[in-house]
Amino acid sequence: MTDINGLESVYFFDSVSDLNLFIQKQNSSQINFLCDSNTYQYCFLPYFNSNTYSVITIAPGDHNKNPQQLFFVCEELLKLHADRDALLINLGGGMVCDLGGMTASIFKRGIRFINIPTTTLAMADAALGGKTGINLGLVKNALGTFHHANSVCIATDFIKTLPQREHISGFAEIIKMLLLFDCKEWNKIAQHPAIPAADNPLLSGYIKAALAAKGKIVQQDPFEKGIRKSLNYGHSIGHAIEAVYNEKSDTLLHGEAIFWGIQLENLVANQMGIMSSEWAVNINSTLSQIFPLPTQINKIDKIIESLRNDKKNKDEKIQMTLLKEPGLFVINVEVPLDIVKHTLKHFNNL
């Protein structure tokens, strides 16, 4: 077990057995797990004692990260007679960590919680940082709070339970962090564009590098007033695409939308003279080798409308974090709407 110090303690466990011992040592009036139906079946039942803990189970998928599910979890905690000394353990991907974190932040004005991410994406990004949230209509994370987990517990054994598509998708957040803050690790990927398997030591190294970088940024700027906005790279257009494509069901995984968002925002940066054509081609071609995206973007008008409601905007003007080159970025870039429209339409003709 190792710890990365910061606003939240991040622990890496060599086995889920060690993680179990850690949970049993927590001082609380009761311990309740939050899972979705997938993580309950594949991550809770095989590894945790169902006679020891109460479990609240929700439907899977980002479209279920909504006010109705938030109220449901709060009501279930009331039925369990959870008090302010109760501990909520979020066992799942980014959706479960976001929803569970927000529940913990508002239930009886705040209870303690632990995130146990079970996906590559959540391990590298979503479980750490104190952001919680739910979606409202077509706007991703329109409602949310800052409420830090007491601990983030990572056991890469859980990645073995993932479908390959989920694992590949999750690598988008690792790539985002490396492009922003770790040129050395990015160069490794650029030279060998492949995603390591769950049991490959390279994967743990990439996750630790991403978390170490994020931990430093969150410590410097916990409430996203300045440099933490850099972590939104790829997420302005990416979130808009994800919201529109997943309006009724989960067509796109979060990481797939972010892969798309990073490539499109690189093209926006190039259009605005921030990123050179050489870097735009270099980065985007590497990403295309890792995860080939569809060549057509549908529902462009709806994507634009969702983007106009992005919570990062200011004075009704679109604001993005754009990359200059690996390791160099600009925050709070005001991006004209016509450049976004042109980029989305141009992408369909590439």
Side-chain angles (χ1 to χ4, degrees), residues 93-339:
M95 186 275 271
V96 171
C97 291
D98 283 354
L99 178 63
M102 186 165 178
T103 301
S105 75
I106 63 173
F107 183 77
K108 297 192 174 178
R109 294 202 177 100
I111 62 173
R112 296 181 303 130
F113 74 101
I114 289 174
N115 281 336
I116 303 179
T118 59
T119 64
T120 312
L121 184 148
M123 289 182 192
D125 182 67
L128 177 73
K131 280 186 178 182
T132 79
I134 58 173
N135 306 330
L136 195 61
L138 291 181
V139 184
K140 284 276 294 179
N141 301 319
L143 304 180
T145 60
F146 286 97
H147 190 61
H148 290 279
N150 289 76
S151 304
V152 177
C153 300
I154 294 175
T156 53
D157 281 351
F158 288 124
I159 295 178
K160 297 173 185 175
T161 69
L162 289 178
Q164 183 68 357
R165 181 186 171 197
E166 288 268 5
H167 177 45
I168 293 171
S169 161
F171 212 70
E173 294 290 359
I174 293 176
I175 282 173
K176 177 197 78 175
M177 294 302 297
L178 301 187
L179 278 169
L180 289 169
F181 302 112
D182 200 325
C183 297
K184 182 179 177 182
E185 294 298 323
W186 164 253
N187 287 335
K188 285 184 187 177
I189 293 173
Q191 290 167 15
H192 303 285
I195 296 175
D199 56 358
N200 188 328
L202 271 176
L203 181 63
S204 292
Y206 287 140
I207 290 173
K208 287 180 179 180
L211 284 176
K214 182 169 184 179
K216 289 178 183 176
I217 294 302
V218 171
Q219 274 189 293
Q220 291 176 49
D221 181 20
F223 299 110
E224 199 174 310
K225 301 297 183 183
I227 193 170
R228 186 170 178 175
K229 293 180 181 180
S230 61
L231 304 183
N232 294 321
Y233 168 53
H235 283 60
S236 293
I237 297 178
H239 271 172
I241 290 174
E242 182 181 9
V244 170
Y245 272 63
N246 293 352
E247 184 176 2
K248 295 180 181 177
S249 63
D250 287 328
T251 302
L252 274 183
L253 298 175
H254 174 73
E256 293 169 348
I258 299 310
F259 266 121
W260 226 340
I262 289 173
Q263 293 195 41
L264 288 160
E265 289 182 22
N266 287 345
L267 295 176
V268 167
N270 177 241
Q271 286 280 307
M272 296 186 68
I274 292 171
M275 177 183 283
S276 69
S277 297
E278 183 181 0
W279 273 119
V281 170
N282 180 295
I283 295 169
N284 285 3
S285 62
T286 299
L287 297 185
S288 295
Q289 291 177 68
I290 293 171
F291 189 86
L293 288 164
T295 55
Q296 292 289 308
I297 298 175
N298 301 317
K299 306 178 183 179
I300 289 178
D301 290 340
K302 273 196 166 186
I303 291 169
I304 293 295
E305 186 59 31
S306 179
L307 183 60
R308 293 180 68 177
N309 284 311
D310 191 286
K311 64 184 180 300
K312 299 182 288 295
N313 296 342
K314 187 175 181 181
D315 298 328
E316 298 187 12
K317 294 177 180 176
I318 294 169
Q319 289 201 330
M320 294 184 187
T321 291
L322 296 176
L323 197 70
K324 288 186 174 182
E325 60 184 69
L328 292 174
F329 54 84
V330 188
I331 64 172
N332 297 331
V333 180
E334 189 177 304
V335 179
L337 200 60
D338 60 346
I339 286 184

Side-chain angles (χ1 to χ4, degrees), residues 42-108:
Y42 297 108
C43 300
F44 181 84
L45 288 177
Y47 294 109
F48 298 96
N49 189 336
S50 57
N51 295 320
T52 304
Y53 309 110
S54 297
V55 185
I56 300 169
T57 306
I58 57 176
D62 197 74
H63 66 285
N64 288 305
K65 196 174 78 172
N66 58 43
Q68 291 76 24
Q69 292 280 11
L70 175 69
F71 294 146
F72 169 76
V73 179
C74 289
E75 287 166 353
E76 291 299 299
L77 287 172
L78 285 176
K79 290 177 185 177
L80 292 166
H81 307 293
D83 60 25
R84 294 182 72 178
D85 291 321
L87 176 67
L88 182 64
I89 296 182
N90 303 318
L91 179 69
M95 186 275 271
V96 171
C97 291
D98 283 354
L99 178 63
M102 186 165 178
T103 301
S105 75
I106 63 173
F107 183 77
K108 297 192 174 178

